[in-house]
């Protein structure tokens, strides 16, 4: 889903640019179709893409006066997006609104994936630190350098800000900054939520280096060198769930040893364990990795909550008469991981 969402976000930006600010009817209608499909891909598509498109429309409008033809194309685009998305939204409106309310809340009591709160240093640095890790140190440094190069270029050419290439550059910068601010402010945090900014960071790197006044051969050699060198330091967003939790102790090994020992005491050859959490450092894959690295072979670990399992690992707990609490652990994100054991009948 994350890769589909990333693709739809970038496709939406590309189609909008080709629509020439809704002057081209074919691309305007195509943008409406893409926007509708993007909303079906993930409901927060409008939050990721919408403000950036509005910002770029404003910049284009400073260059050329808005015309009747653009208004017609915008209406056609909106109708296509509405037609594609509305049928599904109408049937699932209650669930969608509840989901958006829970994801956008700042109330700690209902946060399920929340790490640091937004008004703390850890909260402000959460996605910066995450981008530094996922995007790789090498490319993150290149991104910061490219941002500096672009800002210097835009400052020196501030009388040309509404030129086509500069509007696209400003739009991408706005996309990155707006996404970071909004998702930092929201209560629930996970690096998956901002996955669409990573390719945009790559595009910004490319723009930064093309902004430099270099010979074509030198520029080409530099880009190839960056790609080759970067491959040796690239972590990749696809591997983020397999990383060790840096300096934080998420109690995974302690939980695994506790359950493993308890199941051995009950003479269970293999105990089934359900995990109801998809936090970056506290999910099924993390537990499976630690079980493998610690040679724990008597646990079968799955991602879901069900009364089928011998043990359940649930953050912040739940109520079920068929289970009793075995132990609980305080996690770095301030939540409580509670270990439940099925009661034998």
């Amino acid at each position: 889903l994350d890769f589909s969402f990333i693709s739809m976000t970038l496709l939406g930006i590309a189609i909008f640019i080709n629509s020439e600010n809704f002057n081209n009817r074919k691309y305007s209608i195509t943008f409406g179709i893409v926007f509708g499909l993007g909303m079906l891909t993930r409901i927060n598509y409008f939050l990721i893409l919408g403000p950036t498109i509005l910002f770029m429309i404003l910049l284009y409008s400073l260059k050329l006066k808005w015309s009747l033809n653009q208004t017609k194309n915008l209406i056609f685009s909106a109708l296509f997006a509405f037609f594609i998305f509305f049928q599904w939204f109408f049937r699932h409106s209650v669930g969608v609104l509840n989901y958006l309310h829970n994801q956008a809340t700042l109330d700690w009591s209902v946060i399920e994936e929340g790490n640091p709160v937004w008004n703390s240093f850890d909260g402000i640095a959460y996605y910066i630190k995450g981008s530094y890790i996922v995007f790789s140190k090498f490319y993150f440094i290149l991104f910061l350098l490219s941002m500096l190069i672009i800002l210097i270029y835009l400052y020196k050419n501030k009388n040309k800000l509404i030129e086509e290439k500069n509007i696209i550059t400003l739009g991408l910068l706005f996309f990155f900054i707006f996404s970071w601010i909004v998702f930092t402010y929201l209560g629930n945090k996970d690096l998956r939520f901002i996955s669409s900014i990573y390719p945009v960071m790559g595009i910004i790197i490319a723009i930064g280096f093309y902004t430099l006044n270099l010979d074509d051969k030198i520029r080409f050699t530099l880009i190839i060198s960056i790609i080759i060198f970067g491959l040796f330091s690239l972590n990749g967003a696809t591997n983020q769930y397999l990383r060790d939790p840096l300096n934080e102790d998420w109690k995974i090994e302690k939980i695994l040893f506790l359950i493993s020992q308890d199941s051995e005491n009950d003479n269970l050859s293999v105990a089934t364990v359900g995990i109801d959490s998809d936090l970056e450092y506290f999910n099924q894959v993390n537990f499976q990795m630690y079980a493998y690295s610690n040679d724990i072979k008597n646990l079968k670990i799955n991602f879901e909550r069900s009364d089928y399992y011998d043990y359940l690992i649930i953050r912040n707990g739940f109520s079920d008469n068929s289970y009793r609490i075995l132990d609980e652990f305080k996690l770095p994100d301030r939540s409580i991981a509670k270990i439940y054991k099925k009661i034998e009948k």
Side-chain angles (χ1 to χ4, degrees):
L1 181 59
D2 290 334
F3 287 106
S4 300
F5 184 68
I6 292 171
S7 300
M8 293 304 297
T9 302
L10 294 180
L11 181 61
I13 294 174
I15 296 298
F16 171 74
I17 292 172
N18 280 278
S19 76
E20 301 172 5
N21 196 29
F22 295 107
N23 276 299
N24 186 305
R25 178 157 298 177
K26 178 178 69 175
Y27 278 105
S28 297
I29 293 174
T30 305
F31 175 76
I33 296 172
V34 170
F35 198 91
L37 294 174
M39 291 291 288
L40 293 178
T41 304
R42 182 174 284 175
I43 194 63
N44 60 350
Y45 187 77
F46 74 94
L47 180 61
I48 289 288
L49 190 61
T52 299
I53 298 302
L54 292 175
F55 177 74
M56 294 180 71
I57 288 175
L58 175 62
L59 293 180
Y60 277 118
S61 299
L62 294 175
K63 181 180 180 181
L64 294 172
K65 187 178 180 180
W66 189 266
S67 66
L68 179 60
N69 181 58
Q70 287 174 288
T71 302
K72 292 179 180 178
N73 291 338
L74 176 59
I75 293 173
F76 284 132
S77 180
L79 288 174
F80 272 88
F82 182 80
F83 178 77
I84 292 172
F85 172 69
F86 179 75
Q87 296 184 59
W88 178 89
F89 177 79
F90 182 77
R91 295 195 301 269
H92 302 85
S93 57
V94 175
V96 168
L97 293 175
N98 287 336
Y99 169 80
L100 290 175
H101 174 266
N102 291 334
Q103 292 298 316
T105 184
L106 293 173
D107 182 0
W108 184 261
S109 64
V110 296
I111 289 175
E112 294 182 355
E113 294 190 49
N115 281 29
V117 292
W118 71 271
N119 56 350
S120 67
F121 176 80
D122 288 339
I124 294 173
Y126 183 89
Y127 286 118
I128 297 177
K129 178 183 176 183
S131 301
Y132 175 76
I133 295 171
V134 173
F135 202 55
S136 89
K137 299 176 183 178
F138 175 72
Y139 282 121
F140 189 78
I141 292 171
L142 281 182
F143 167 74
L144 294 179
L145 180 61
S146 297
M147 284 276 284
L148 179 61
I149 293 172
I150 290 172
L151 291 175
I152 293 174
Y153 171 82
L154 292 175
Y155 178 77
K156 290 182 177 179
N157 297 272
K158 52 190 175 184
N159 58 329
K160 301 179 181 178
L161 290 181
I162 56 175
E163 289 185 354
E164 176 76 18
K165 64 177 182 179
N166 291 335
I167 289 177
I168 295 173
T169 300
L170 287 170
L172 293 173
L173 291 176
F174 178 87
F175 178 89
F176 173 80
I177 295 171
F178 180 84
S179 299
W180 173 72
I181 291 175
V182 169
F183 285 99
T184 295
Y185 184 75
L186 297 183
N188 289 310
K189 292 180 174 61
D190 192 293
L191 295 184
R192 293 179 296 110
F193 296 166
I194 62 163
S195 57
S196 56
I197 75 168
Y198 303 136
V200 171
M201 292 170 69
I203 296 173
I204 289 174
I205 290 176
I207 293 174
F209 278 88
Y210 270 95
T211 299
L212 295 174
N213 187 21
L214 299 175
D215 179 77
D216 288 343
K217 292 182 179 179
I218 296 176
R219 183 186 288 117
F220 178 79
T221 303
L222 182 61
I223 292 173
I224 295 299
S225 301
I226 288 172
I227 293 173
I228 294 174
F229 185 80
L231 290 175
F232 291 99
S233 63
L234 187 64
N235 291 321
T238 56
N239 297 322
Q240 64 174 305
Y241 287 100
L242 297 178
R243 293 197 312 275
D244 289 328
L246 303 179
N247 298 322
E248 298 172 335
D249 183 7
W250 287 82
K251 310 296 193 303
I252 293 178
E253 289 181 321
K254 294 179 182 178
I255 294 172
L256 286 171
F257 284 124
L258 169 69
I259 297 176
S260 178
Q261 185 62 50
D262 187 79
S263 64
E264 288 180 1
N265 294 339
D266 289 347
N267 297 318
L268 291 175
S269 57
V270 177
T272 54
V273 182
I275 301 174
D276 187 15
S277 173
D278 62 351
L279 277 176
E280 182 184 1
Y281 297 124
F282 198 82
N283 59 71
Q284 173 197 350
V285 180
N286 294 136
F287 276 86
Q288 290 173 337
M289 181 185 73
Y290 277 97
Y292 176 80
S293 62
N294 287 281
D295 199 31
I296 299 175
K297 299 179 180 179
N298 64 331
L299 300 182
K300 183 179 180 181
I301 302 169
N302 297 279
F303 174 63
E304 58 183 323
R305 179 193 301 188
S306 170
D307 57 9
Y308 164 80
Y309 297 109
D310 299 311
Y311 298 89
L312 290 176
I313 303 170
I314 300 178
R315 293 173 56 248
N316 297 322
F318 82 127
S319 178
D320 192 321
N321 294 330
S322 60
Y323 285 88
R324 66 176 178 86
I325 294 181
L326 182 64
D327 205 342
E328 59 182 45
F329 298 85
K330 186 175 181 180
L331 302 179
D333 69 342
R334 306 180 191 176
S335 64
I336 303 295
K338 295 186 177 182
I339 318 304
Y340 292 86
K341 180 179 180 179
K342 193 172 183 63
I343 300 173
E344 295 184 5
K345 297 182 179 180

